[in-house]
Amino acid sequence: MVLVGKYNKSTMKKLICVLKQGFNKKSNFYKENISIAIFALSVFVLCLIFALRAFRPVLYIVRVNDSVFDEYISNAPLPQKKYHLLFVKESDQKAVKQHFFGKLKKIAANIENHQEIGLLNYEYSENQKFFEILNEPILPSVQADFNAKGLDSTLSSPKLSITFSDTNNLPNGNRAILVDNLYANDESYKLNVKKGVLCTVFDKKKSKAIFDYCEKLFVNPEVKQSNEVVTIASVGDIMVARGVQEILINKENGIQQVFDDTLPILQNADFTLGNLEGVVTESWKNATKTYTFKFKKAVLPKLLEAGFDYFMQTNNHCYDYGEPGFKDTLAAFEEFNIPSSGIGKNLEEAKKFYHTTIKGLPISVISCGAFPVERSGFNGEKTATATQSRAGILWKSDELLELVKAEKELGYFVIVNVHGGEEYVFAPTKKQREFYESLCDNGADVVFGSHPHVLQPTEWHGKSLIVYSMGNFIFNGMEGMRGGTDSEIVKIGVLNGRIAYVEQYPAAIKNNGVKLKK
């Protein structure tokens, strides 16, 4: 714009005022618009912030008891990515603290230690679930005086004192007693404590994911199986000549006739052992001895049907028909797949333990001879012991003790059968005690003894059990011998690798068989 002409002072002042007013109006216009812009921007930012917070992802928190977290969750694969779950320690406050722009943390569930007592009933809401980790039975036990007679041998004894403990703290010298005639592993056994965790879910949308994950994490069938009771039964001398094998082989109900009411005990045990007193052979070339016993092969499946799972052969009648007869027995055992040990075609075979696993319990069994020289002059150690070139049996030795020790160190429940002691003597000899106790000291969990033909004591040696002699079980012709017809079945229950139950069933030889004493 060009101003032409002359202007006086008054005109100039008016012009300057007009220009100033215009400038001020324009400045106010800009100021007002900037304020509006700033306000609008602020509103937009706030809206954006609230929008971001409103639509931020949710992280569901599962709070876990510290001890449960350390034992089961700290090293476990977590389902966070798939289910947006975060498992945190109960004591970890930082993990649940909310951050302004972080994920929205929401407590979805709580997991805590919990236990149920079997005698009580428990009810949980639909948003709760108990996961059993370990079923810990409570064992009532009594001092095991195996040789008590009369009232003192029953649960009615005024001297009776019952102790309650878990399986790992069963007092030495005690034996557990059945509850309602049930072992600790029975599903109906009520005297137990179920240990586990209780999961309480607060957000129903996540209940299935959380419960499914807990099922995989806490429910472990192998742990529960450790509470299985393995029952092992053993009997004394079985001599099926003198008419017994003919009954077993030829009569339709021969097994029932011979074994009578002992049959359910033999058949229901998880593992049943016996000492087969004689050889399985057709040979007629018997050794020069006071008594020689031999049996027909056809009797073996009948004995297996009666419930026997293992037969000992390391006895003083194993060589009644010499080495050929002994080899015939080995062949017959192999033919009918009859487990045994401590016998073989040579010493190396005789040293081998028999191994089996029952309900998760690894079992190792060895048998050996330790019987004295017979009056007839038969010397089992010199005549029947296996060598590098001769078939025979394993004899007691320091090496055997080392073998037992090695088996125990491998984690087996070790059973040792010993044919030893003096015949018709009702108490173990000093040498017999020393050897049987040394077997226990080196790892044998139970020692089953035979040979005396009469009953001898059953005793604890630490946590191990020694049954010095179970007498005869099937043995016709013993009526004239003092104590010769007295018998017993010894049944043990192994829980968590240790003998917890010890049951004795008195029996007697009668009418070509055996029957429980009432």
Side-chain angles (χ1 to χ4, degrees), residues 279-403:
V279 292
V280 182
T281 184
E282 296 295 332
S283 173
W284 289 96
K285 297 180 180 179
N286 58 302
T288 304
K289 295 179 63 186
T290 306
Y291 300 103
T292 55
F293 303 128
K294 68 173 184 175
F295 317 125
K296 298 177 180 178
K297 282 197 302 185
V299 78
L300 294 178
K302 300 296 182 181
L303 294 175
L304 292 176
E305 191 177 341
F308 289 97
D309 302 292
Y310 176 101
F311 276 118
M312 171 186 181
Q313 260 284 297
T314 59
N315 55 59
N316 58 310
H317 289 281
C318 66
Y319 249 60
D320 279 3
Y321 287 78
E323 187 179 6
F326 181 81
K327 286 183 175 180
D328 289 344
T329 307
L330 292 178
F333 275 27
E334 186 175 350
E335 179 180 346
F336 290 96
N337 197 27
I338 295 176
S340 189
S341 58
I343 57 176
K345 296 175 183 177
N346 51 55
L347 181 57
E348 290 306 309
E349 281 191 11
K351 288 180 183 179
K352 293 180 180 178
F353 287 67
Y354 169 69
H355 295 137
T356 186
T357 299
I358 301 174
K359 296 178 182 176
L361 177 70
I363 298 173
S364 180
V365 191
I366 195 69
S367 298
C368 72
F371 48 87
V373 178
E374 290 186 0
R375 293 178 183 176
S376 64
F378 174 73
N379 186 322
E381 183 177 8
K382 291 184 177 180
T383 305
T385 301
T387 66
Q388 297 301 330
S389 58
R390 181 177 67 193
I393 66 173
L394 189 64
W395 198 258
K396 73 170 185 177
S397 65
D398 291 339
E399 184 184 10
L400 175 58
L401 298 178
E402 291 298 320
L403 292 173

Side-chain angles (χ1 to χ4, degrees), residues 191-230:
L191 199 58
N192 58 9
V193 175
K194 295 179 181 179
K195 297 180 180 180
V197 298
L198 180 64
C199 182
T200 304
V201 178
F202 308 119
D203 191 311
K204 289 185 178 180
K205 293 183 294 183
K206 292 296 176 182
S207 59
K208 186 178 186 306
I210 294 171
F211 286 154
D212 286 350
Y213 179 70
C214 288
E215 187 79 27
K216 295 176 182 178
L217 188 66
F218 298 118
V219 179
N220 187 348
E222 292 181 5
V223 173
K224 293 182 182 180
Q225 195 172 10
S226 67
N227 285 328
E228 290 286 331
V229 175
V230 178

Side-chain angles (χ1 to χ4, degrees), residues 71-86:
E71 186 169 358
Y72 296 99
I73 296 179
S74 59
N75 295 318
L78 299 177
Q80 181 177 342
K81 291 183 178 179
K82 184 177 180 181
Y83 300 109
H84 302 288
L85 294 173
L86 177 64

Side-chain angles (χ1 to χ4, degrees), residues 248 255 259 262-264 266-267 272 301-308:
L248 289 171
I255 295 173
F259 293 100
T262 70
L263 206 54
L266 303 176
Q267 292 177 333
T272 301
K302 300 296 182 181
L303 294 175
L304 292 176
E305 191 177 341
F308 289 97

Side-chain angles (χ1 to χ4, degrees), residues 87-346:
F87 286 74
V88 301
K89 284 187 177 183
E90 198 172 40
S91 62
D92 189 357
Q93 298 299 322
K94 290 183 179 180
V96 296
K97 186 178 180 181
Q98 298 286 0
H99 297 283
F100 195 81
F101 284 110
K103 292 181 180 179
L104 179 62
K105 295 178 180 178
K106 191 173 181 181
I107 304 297
N110 186 63
I111 297 175
E112 58 187 346
N113 280 313
H114 190 70
Q115 64 181 29
E116 293 182 351
I117 299 173
L119 293 172
L120 304 178
N121 292 321
Y122 293 83
E123 292 184 2
Y124 302 106
S125 63
E126 62 179 359
N127 68 319
Q128 289 183 311
K129 197 168 184 180
F130 173 65
F131 295 92
E132 179 186 335
I133 295 175
L134 181 65
N135 189 332
E136 185 75 23
I138 302 300
L139 300 180
S141 64
V142 296
Q143 190 70 29
D145 186 357
F146 300 111
N147 306 305
K149 304 295 181 184
L151 182 62
D152 287 347
S153 66
T154 71
L155 294 180
S156 303
S157 171
K159 300 178 183 179
L160 185 69
S161 176
I162 299 180
T163 301
F164 293 88
S165 63
D166 59 32
T167 58
N168 295 319
N169 294 298
L170 185 69
N172 283 354
N174 276 29
R175 61 181 177 89
I177 55 178
L178 277 66
V179 176
D180 292 333
N181 207 33
L182 299 173
Y183 292 108
N185 68 302
D186 194 283
E187 288 185 4
S188 302
Y189 188 86
K190 296 296 184 183
L191 199 58
N192 58 9
V193 175
K194 295 179 181 179
K195 297 180 180 180
V197 298
L198 180 64
C199 182
T200 304
V201 178
F202 308 119
D203 191 311
K204 289 185 178 180
K205 293 183 294 183
K206 292 296 176 182
S207 59
K208 186 178 186 306
I210 294 171
F211 286 154
D212 286 350
Y213 179 70
C214 288
E215 187 79 27
K216 295 176 182 178
L217 188 66
F218 298 118
V219 179
N220 187 348
E222 292 181 5
V223 173
K224 293 182 182 180
Q225 195 172 10
S226 67
N227 285 328
E228 290 286 331
V229 175
V230 178
T231 54
I232 299 169
S234 186
V235 302
D237 299 339
I238 298 173
M239 201 287 292
V240 292
R242 298 175 180 171
V244 176
Q245 63 181 341
E246 282 72 25
I247 297 172
L248 289 171
I249 295 169
N250 300 322
K251 290 200 173 183
E252 185 176 348
N253 66 337
I255 295 173
Q256 182 64 53
Q257 182 177 329
V258 171
F259 293 100
D260 203 87
D261 53 2
T262 70
L263 206 54
I265 303 170
L266 303 176
Q267 292 177 333
N268 293 334
D270 295 314
F271 191 63
T272 301
L273 307 92
N275 170 50
L276 190 60
E277 192 90 346
V279 292
V280 182
T281 184
E282 296 295 332
S283 173
W284 289 96
K285 297 180 180 179
N286 58 302
T288 304
K289 295 179 63 186
T290 306
Y291 300 103
T292 55
F293 303 128
K294 68 173 184 175
F295 317 125
K296 298 177 180 178
K297 282 197 302 185
V299 78
L300 294 178
K302 300 296 182 181
L303 294 175
L304 292 176
E305 191 177 341
F308 289 97
D309 302 292
Y310 176 101
F311 276 118
M312 171 186 181
Q313 260 284 297
T314 59
N315 55 59
N316 58 310
H317 289 281
C318 66
Y319 249 60
D320 279 3
Y321 287 78
E323 187 179 6
F326 181 81
K327 286 183 175 180
D328 289 344
T329 307
L330 292 178
F333 275 27
E334 186 175 350
E335 179 180 346
F336 290 96
N337 197 27
I338 295 176
S340 189
S341 58
I343 57 176
K345 296 175 183 177
N346 51 55

Side-chain angles (χ1 to χ4, degrees), residues 456-516:
Q456 287 186 350
T458 295
E459 300 174 357
W460 288 111
H461 184 74
K463 295 180 181 180
S464 302
L465 188 73
I466 301 175
V467 185
Y468 283 101
S469 175
M470 292 167 284
N472 299 307
F473 192 63
I474 300 292
F475 215 120
N476 272 357
M478 302 301 292
E479 290 77 9
M481 310 301 295
R482 178 172 169 260
T485 59
D486 291 331
S487 186
E488 69 175 350
I489 304 172
V490 176
K491 183 180 176 183
I492 62 174
V494 183
L495 185 59
N496 289 343
R498 178 184 172 184
I499 299 173
Y501 298 91
V502 182
E503 302 166 53
Q504 293 170 293
Y505 297 88
I509 294 172
K510 193 175 182 180
N511 300 329
N512 295 319
V514 64
K515 188 177 177 66
L516 293 177

